[in-house]
Amino acid sequence: MGQSGRVVVITGGSRGIGRAVAFRFAGEKPILVIVHYDPDDSAASDTLAKLSEKGIQGEAHRLDVSSYQDVNALFKDVLSRLGKIDVLVNNAGITRDTLLMRMTEDDWDTVLRVNLKSVFNCTQVVSRSMIKQRGGRIVNVSSVVGQMGNPGQANYAASKAGIMGFTRSIAREVAGRGITVNAVAPGFINTEMTAVLPDKVKESFLQQIPMGRMGEPEDVAEVVYWLCSDAAKYVTGQVVHVNGGLYMS
Ligand SMILES: NC(=O)c1ccc[n+]([C@@H]2O[C@H](COP(=O)([O-])OP(=O)(O)OC[C@H]3O[C@@H](n4cnc5c(N)ncnc54)[C@H](O)[C@@H]3O)[C@@H](O)[C@H]2O)c1
C-alpha cells in the first residue's frame, strides 16, 4: 500500500482529536477531506489554513453526519471528483450528559444518531468503493466509556459500545477485500468536549488514571495513524484503548 496521495476523510476533523489526526497524516501529503458540524466554519478554516502551510491539499464540508442522504451525497461527490477514498476516520461525536431519570427521548435519539448512525452512514458508502478498489482503512472513534459505562452517559456509552460491535462485524465482512476496520477507544482527552466538564468531574477522572494526566489529542492521533499504516496491515476488528491505564482489558 503506497503512503502518498491517499484520500483521507475525517469526520469531526475541524478540531480536537479529528484535527490532530489530520495533522498526523500531513507528513505523507494526503488529500484531506474534513467533515464537521460546528456552528460556523472558523475552526475548519483554521485547520485547512494550517494544513495548507504544510503544503497539504484539503477541503472542509459542514454537514450533519447523522443524515443518510447528506452523507451519501457528499461521499458520492468526493468519489466522483477524487476517484477514491483510501482512509475513513469516523470521529464525529457529541455528548448530552444527564442521568437516566432526566434523559429526554431527544437526548437519547440525538446522541445515538450523531455518534452511531453516522458511522453506519459513512462506512456503508465508503466501503462500497473500497470493496471495488480492493483496499482501504476504516478507523472508528469509540470511547473508554463504551467499555466501562459512566453515570450520566447512558446514551453516549450505548453509542460508543455500539461502535465496537459495528467495528467487529464490518471487519469480518470486508477482511477478504483488503480492508481493515478498527476502533480506538480514547480515555479522558484534553479537547473542547472535556473542557466543559465541571472541575469536580475532572478531578475524579484524574484520580482513576494511573498515568495521572489527561491524554492529548495527539496521543489518539498517533494510534489512528498507525492503524492506517502498512505496519498494521494484519490488524483488524480491534478496539485499541488509549487511556493512560484508566481501563485495562
Ligand atoms: N475528548 C475526549 O475525552 C474523548 C474521549 C473518548 C472519545 N472521544 C470521542 O472522540 C471524538 C472526537 O471528540 P473531541 O473530543 O475531539 O470532540 P470535539 O467536540 O472537540 O470535536 C467534535 C467534532 O465532531 C464534529 N461533529 C459533531 N457533531 C457532528 C455532526 N452531527 N456531523 C458532523 N460532525 C459533527 C464537530 O464539528 C467537531 O469537529 C468523538 O467521537 C468523541 O466522542 C473523545
Side-chain angles (χ1 to χ4, degrees):
M1 184 177 60
Q3 291 275 304
S4 98
R6 289 196 289 180
V7 177
V8 178
V9 180
I10 306 169
T11 72
S14 62
R15 56 176 206 241
I17 293 172
R19 171 159 58 181
V21 172
F23 289 160
R24 184 61 188 83
F25 271 91
E28 68 172 65
K29 300 271 183 257
I31 300 170
L32 280 170
V33 179
I34 284 167
V35 184
H36 73 96
Y37 204 47
D38 298 340
D40 61 54
D41 284 326
S42 57
S45 304
D46 181 59
T47 301
L48 285 185
K50 291 204 166 78
L51 287 165
S52 161
E53 281 166 20
K54 297 174 197 277
I56 309 303
Q57 206 185 321
E59 55 187 59
H61 303 268
R62 185 176 180 279
L63 172 143
D64 181 359
V65 283
S66 72
S67 162
Y68 187 79
Q69 210 180 344
D70 291 355
V71 163
N72 271 273
L74 171 73
F75 281 91
K76 281 175 185 161
D77 172 58
V78 167
L79 284 164
S80 77
R81 284 186 294 108
L82 304 179
K84 59 173 187 165
I85 293 172
D86 300 292
V87 174
L88 168 65
V89 182
N90 284 309
N91 163 78
I94 57 165
T95 51
R96 284 255 195 118
D97 297 352
T98 188
L99 293 172
L100 179 64
M101 290 306 138
R102 292 195 199 122
M103 192 172 287
T104 63
E105 186 182 5
D106 189 55
D107 291 334
W108 176 268
D109 287 345
T110 304
V111 168
L112 268 289
R113 269 194 289 108
V114 173
N115 292 6
L116 184 57
K117 186 189 173 206
S118 65
V119 178
F120 159 73
N121 290 344
C122 299
T123 304
Q124 189 187 50
V125 60
V126 170
S127 59
R128 230 171 243 142
S129 109
M130 286 181 174
I131 284 169
K132 278 191 208 134
Q133 81 199 36
R134 297 194 76 80
R137 295 293 164 96
I138 299 173
V139 179
N140 301 321
V141 180
S142 176
S143 167
V144 69
V145 167
Q147 194 85 43
M148 295 175 73
N150 197 26
Q153 291 200 305
N155 50 359
Y156 183 78
S159 71
K160 296 300 186 179
I163 286 178
M164 294 181 192
F166 180 87
T167 299
R168 296 182 182 114
S169 302
I170 306 308
R172 289 177 188 274
E173 287 189 24
V174 300
R177 310 298 184 106
I179 304 164
T180 68
V181 188
N182 291 288
V184 292
F188 188 39
I189 310 296
N190 188 12
T191 69
E192 284 181 35
M193 183 176 270
T194 47
V196 296
L197 291 173
D199 285 347
K200 248 174 81 179
V201 176
K202 285 190 197 166
E203 272 309 310
S204 104
F205 259 119
L206 283 174
Q207 278 169 11
Q208 297 172 60
I209 302 172
M211 285 191 174
R213 67 161 178 94
M214 293 177 83
E216 294 302 322
E218 292 73 22
D219 294 324
V220 182
E222 196 61 46
V223 176
V224 173
Y225 186 72
W226 176 76
L227 286 167
C228 297
S229 73
D230 254 349
K233 62 182 180 297
Y234 198 55
V235 178
T236 199
Q238 303 304 311
V239 177
V240 183
H241 290 272
V242 187
N243 61 29
L246 173 61
Y247 170 82
M248 301 183 189
S249 56

